[in-house]
Amino acid sequence: MKKLYIVFFIFLIAFSGKTQVVYEDINNTGIYEFLDELANLRIIEINSVVKPYSREYIARKLREARELTNSPTHKLNLRQKKELMFYLQDYQLEGKKIPFSFDHKLGFIAKNTPSMKVALNPLGFHYKDSLFTFSVRPIIGLSYMFNENGNMYHRYWGGSFFAYIGKNFGMYGSLRDNSESELMSLPEYLTRETGGVYKVNEGGRKGGDFSEARGGITVAWKWGSFGLMKDFFTWGNNYHGANIFSGHAPSFPYIQLHLNPAKWFDFNYIHGWLSCKVIDSTRSYWAGDVYRVVYHNKFIAANMFTVIPWKRLNISFGNSIIYSSDNINPAFLIPFLFFKSVDHSTYFNNDAGSNAQMFFDISSRQINHLNLYVTLFIDEFMLSRVFKKDENNFTSWKFGFRLSDFPIQNLSLTGEYTRTQPLTYKHYISTTTFTSNNFNMGHYMRDNSQEIYVALAWKPIRGLYLNTSYTLAEHGADIEYTSALGADYDKIPFLKDKTWQNYQFEFMARYELMNNAYVWLQYQNTNRKGDVKYGPEIYLGKTNTLIMGINVGF
C-alpha cells in the first residue's frame, strides 16, 4: 500500500494543469439521461462506455451545449433549454466564476457572502474561492411498495461532499445508512438493485440494514487523472444493465487511471481490491473462544481503450484479470498490458493461474437522433467452437439502440437484447470468480440467461420523465463450474432447462424537483415463474405492484 501512495504523490507533483476531478454518482439518472440525449442529437460528443463521468466533464459538456443553443443547425427545443439551464445551476462550482449564484438562497440560516451560500437548489452548503471549493449536501430518501404479497419499505439517510483544492486536487465522499423491511438484493437474486452487505434483523423479521460508504481522492491534469476510489462504476454501453461491469456488486476500493491525450483516443484502467468470501483456513485462528475468520485476498485489474476513427463512432476494447495471492502482482499495475498473456508467462498450469476476460464495445451516434451499440464480454473463446452447433463459447452479447426526439420531439424509443452463454462469469477456482462479496460483477442475470427490454419514454416538460417499458428475462439452470464437468463443459445447451422467467410491464413517472432531488411513482405488472430463490418474496408469482418514493442527494 505504501508503494501506491508513493505513485499517487509522484503523479501529484509531476503534472500541472487547470483540471480537477470528482465523480458524479451513476444513480443520478437525470443528468446522465440528458447528456445521452444531447449526444444522440449530435449537439455534444461523449464516450459513454465508462461511467461515472466527472463533474468537470459534465460541466464542460453542458457549457458546450449552451454555446450551441441558438445555432441554426443545433437548436434545442424549449424543454431542452430549460433542462440545460437547470443542470448548469448545479455545475457552477466547476466554473471559474466567483461569486456564484444559486436559486432560493437561504441567507437567514447562514450568512451569504459572494463565496458562500446555503441554498435549496442544489440543497446544501456551498463555498468557493480562488483556492478552495467545497460543497456538502444531505442524503435522505424513502421508497414504499405494496402488492398482493404484502408491502416493503426502503429508507436511508446520510450526507455527501466534494471539494477541490488548487488547480489539480479533488476529493469526494458519501455515507448512506440503509434499512429495508425485506432484503431486495442478495447474491442469488436476479434483480437490478445494487448489492449490499446486510446486517440481518433478528427476531424472525425479514429485513436488514447496510451501510454504504463511498468516495475518492484524485489528482488531475489537462489530459488525464489518477485517483484512489471506493465507488460504483459501469463499463459497457447500456440502458438496462451493463454486461461488462454492471455496478451491481457492492462498491470496492480501486485505483483508477484515465488518459485522454487526443480527441481520438481515451483510456481507462483500474486495479481493485475485491471481497473474496472464501475462508483462508491457514490464516484464520482462535482468539480466546472466538474464531477469527480471515478471507483470501482477491484482486482485479482491467483496462479499456477507446479509439474514435470518425466523429461519434467509438470503438472500445480491453481486458481484465482476477487473481488471488498474498501480494499485489506488480505486472498487473502496468495499465496497458494484455493481462492474460502476463498470467500465462508466469504460470504453466491453469490451476495455478488467474481468471482473465476480454471485452469489446462499439457505439455509433453517426445517424442523427440514434445511438446504436453492441457489447461483447468474452470469458473463454475458441474459434473452432463457432462452427460447431453443440459447442459454446463463454460470452455475453448485448445489442441495443436508442432513438431520441424523432419523429416526435421529447420522445425516445429504446430496445435492448442481452444473451449470456452458460458458465460465463464463472470459474472453477472459487477465489478467482467474476464476483465481489459473492455478487456477480457482470450482467445482473448472470450466465445462461437472456433479456429483451423495450421502452418508450416521454419528457413533456422540464424535470418530468414518463417511461413505459416491457421486460422479458429468462434464466436457465445454474451449473456448477467444477472439474466434474469433464470435457463437456462447453456443450451445455443454452436455456435448455429454464428455472426462472420474468414478464414485466412497467410505467414510471419521475419528477426532478430540484438538482439531485426526485419524486417518483411506479406501477409494475409482473409475472415471475420458477425457483423462489432468485428473488424477494414480495415479487413471487403474478403481482400488481405500486411503488412510490422520494430521494434527495446521492
Side-chain angles (χ1 to χ4, degrees):
M1 183 61 75
K2 290 181 180 178
K3 294 179 180 178
L4 292 178
Y5 287 137
I6 293 171
V7 171
F8 181 84
F9 284 109
I10 289 174
F11 272 93
L12 179 63
I13 295 169
F15 295 100
S16 63
K18 298 181 179 180
T19 303
Q20 300 149 316
V21 167
V22 299
Y23 288 93
E24 185 65 71
D25 195 307
I26 58 175
N27 295 304
N28 191 0
T29 54
I31 183 61
Y32 283 96
E33 288 166 354
F34 184 59
L35 291 179
D36 183 81
E37 180 184 8
L38 294 179
N40 291 353
L41 295 177
R42 303 201 296 183
I43 292 171
I44 62 173
E45 296 179 40
I46 60 173
N47 181 18
S48 53
V49 70
V50 172
K51 296 183 180 76
Y53 304 149
S54 72
R55 284 184 58 89
E56 185 277 333
Y57 179 83
I58 294 172
R60 177 157 40 93
K61 294 302 175 180
L62 293 175
R63 289 194 292 267
E64 288 176 12
R66 181 178 58 187
E67 292 172 2
L68 294 171
T69 298
N70 297 315
S71 168
T73 58
H74 295 88
K75 279 192 174 181
L76 300 179
N77 63 38
L78 180 61
R79 191 271 305 171
Q80 292 163 341
K81 289 180 181 178
K82 290 183 177 180
E83 204 100 62
L84 176 61
M85 299 311 296
F86 173 79
Y87 287 121
L88 280 168
Q89 171 81 6
D90 187 11
Y91 292 90
Q92 292 180 71
L93 295 175
E94 280 65 37
K96 298 179 181 179
K97 185 179 178 181
I98 306 173
F100 56 93
S101 61
F102 283 136
D103 292 341
H104 310 295
K105 297 183 290 293
L106 301 178
F108 60 90
I109 295 179
K111 183 180 179 181
N112 276 297
T113 69
S115 60
M116 182 187 302
K117 299 287 188 300
V118 176
L120 278 174
N121 185 25
L123 182 61
F125 170 80
H126 317 282
Y127 175 85
K128 183 178 180 66
D129 61 28
S130 59
L131 175 66
F132 183 56
T133 300
F134 179 73
S135 180
V136 60
R137 308 179 182 197
I139 295 175
I140 187 168
L142 172 67
S143 64
Y144 179 80
M145 60 188 297
F146 60 91
N147 60 23
E148 294 86 343
N149 294 331
N151 58 74
M152 175 268 175
Y153 68 81
H154 176 195
R155 62 174 182 243
Y156 48 90
W157 66 277
S160 67
F161 82 94
F162 67 86
Y164 305 114
I165 302 176
K167 298 177 180 179
N168 308 92
F169 189 67
M171 64 183 76
Y172 69 103
S174 68
L175 175 63
R176 181 185 297 204
D177 188 69
N178 297 265
S179 179
E180 293 181 347
S181 60
E182 180 177 350
L183 306 187
M184 297 299 289
S185 184
L186 295 175
E188 62 270 25
Y189 285 2
L190 300 174
T191 58
R192 293 183 62 230
E193 281 82 1
T194 302
V197 183
Y198 290 97
K199 178 181 178 182
V200 181
N201 291 332
E202 299 178 355
R205 292 189 295 149
K206 295 187 297 183
D209 304 326
F210 68 98
S211 182
E212 184 183 292
R214 294 180 288 124
I217 182 169
T218 66
V219 58
W221 53 98
K222 187 176 181 180
W223 46 270
S225 64
F226 180 82
L228 173 63
M229 265 90 76
K230 180 181 182 291
D231 209 342
F232 300 120
F233 61 90
T234 65
W235 286 17
N237 277 282
N238 76 95
Y239 293 104
H240 200 249
N243 65 334
I244 300 177
F245 293 115
S246 64
H248 178 59
S251 62
F252 56 84
Y254 58 94
I255 57 173
Q256 175 176 287
L257 175 67
H258 174 231
L259 303 177
N260 183 216
K263 289 184 178 180
W264 57 269
F265 179 74
D266 198 66
F267 175 78
N268 286 273
Y269 162 83
I270 66 154
H271 185 284
W273 288 253
L274 304 179
S275 180
C276 187
K277 296 302 180 184
V278 177
I279 296 175
D280 185 345
S281 58
T282 63
R283 294 194 297 157
S284 299
Y285 56 90
W286 285 98
D289 59 348
V290 176
Y291 186 65
R292 172 66 173 175
V293 173
V294 179
Y295 295 103
H296 283 278
N297 293 325
K298 186 176 181 180
F299 308 98
I300 183 171
N303 58 35
M304 181 72 86
F305 301 80
T306 299
V307 294
I308 308 171
W310 297 283
K311 268 191 172 185
R312 304 178 183 89
L313 176 62
N314 290 18
I315 301 174
S316 303
F317 53 92
N319 76 118
S320 62
I321 193 160
I322 296 177
Y323 67 102
S324 179
S325 65
D326 290 337
N327 299 302
I328 294 173
N329 187 333
F332 298 144
L333 292 176
I334 302 173
F336 315 103
L337 292 184
F338 183 52
F339 301 122
K340 184 174 184 178
S341 179
V342 173
D343 190 57
H344 284 185
S345 64
T346 305
Y347 301 102
F348 298 101
N349 189 325
N350 282 339
D351 297 343
S354 306
N355 180 17
Q357 303 80 34
M358 294 177 62
F359 20 84
F360 301 88
D361 185 280
I362 300 175
S363 172
S364 172
R365 292 183 170 90
Q366 294 168 291
I367 302 174
N368 197 14
H369 304 281
L370 182 64
N371 179 20
L372 293 170
Y373 56 94
V374 57
T375 303
L376 171 61
F377 178 99
I378 299 175
D379 197 348
E380 182 177 307
F381 184 87
M382 292 180 63
L383 186 62
S384 60
R385 294 176 186 160
V386 175
F387 306 102
K388 296 179 181 179
K389 293 183 179 180
D390 61 339
E391 294 185 9
N392 299 315
N393 284 302
F394 301 173
T395 59
S396 177
W397 286 90
K398 181 181 286 288
F399 304 90
F401 74 91
R402 172 165 286 182
L403 183 65
S404 301
D405 295 89
F406 183 85
I408 302 173
Q409 285 192 354
N410 301 323
L411 201 69
S412 67
L413 175 65
T414 304
E416 196 167 276
Y417 173 68
T418 308
R419 177 189 175 105
T420 307
Q421 295 294 129
L423 300 183
T424 307
Y425 304 122
K426 291 183 176 179
H427 200 261
Y428 60 88
I429 298 175
S430 59
T431 55
T432 60
T433 57
F434 201 71
T435 62
S436 184
N437 282 106
N438 291 333
F439 285 85
N440 181 41
M441 294 188 294
H443 195 259
Y444 80 97
M445 288 291 295
R446 304 197 294 273
D447 72 307
N448 201 14
S449 64
Q450 68 177 356
E451 182 195 66
I452 298 172
Y453 173 76
V454 181
L456 185 66
W458 183 37
K459 298 179 180 179
I461 60 173
R462 200 288 308 160
L464 180 60
Y465 178 77
L466 305 175
N467 186 70
T468 301
S469 65
Y470 173 77
T471 304
L472 167 60
E474 297 178 314
H475 183 72
D478 285 323
I479 296 99
E480 188 176 359
Y481 191 5
T482 65
S483 58
L485 289 174
D488 295 329
Y489 68 98
D490 57 354
K491 294 182 174 62
I492 300 169
F494 176 69
L495 283 182
K496 179 183 178 182
D497 300 312
K498 294 180 183 178
T499 57
W500 186 83
Q501 287 180 309
N502 178 32
Y503 303 88
Q504 180 170 295
F505 169 81
E506 177 181 295
F507 172 78
M508 181 184 69
R510 185 190 71 214
Y511 185 71
E512 191 168 4
L513 298 164
M514 52 191 178
N515 279 282
N516 309 310
Y518 299 86
V519 292
W520 73 89
L521 181 68
Q522 281 176 276
Y523 166 74
Q524 297 174 343
N525 177 267
T526 303
N527 184 5
R528 298 195 179 190
K529 303 177 182 179
D531 199 322
V532 298
K533 71 178 182 180
Y534 292 123
E537 292 182 10
I538 196 168
Y539 274 124
L540 293 180
K542 295 182 179 181
T543 56
N544 292 279
T545 304
L546 193 64
I547 309 171
M548 59 194 75
I550 183 170
N551 175 83
V552 178
F554 294 96

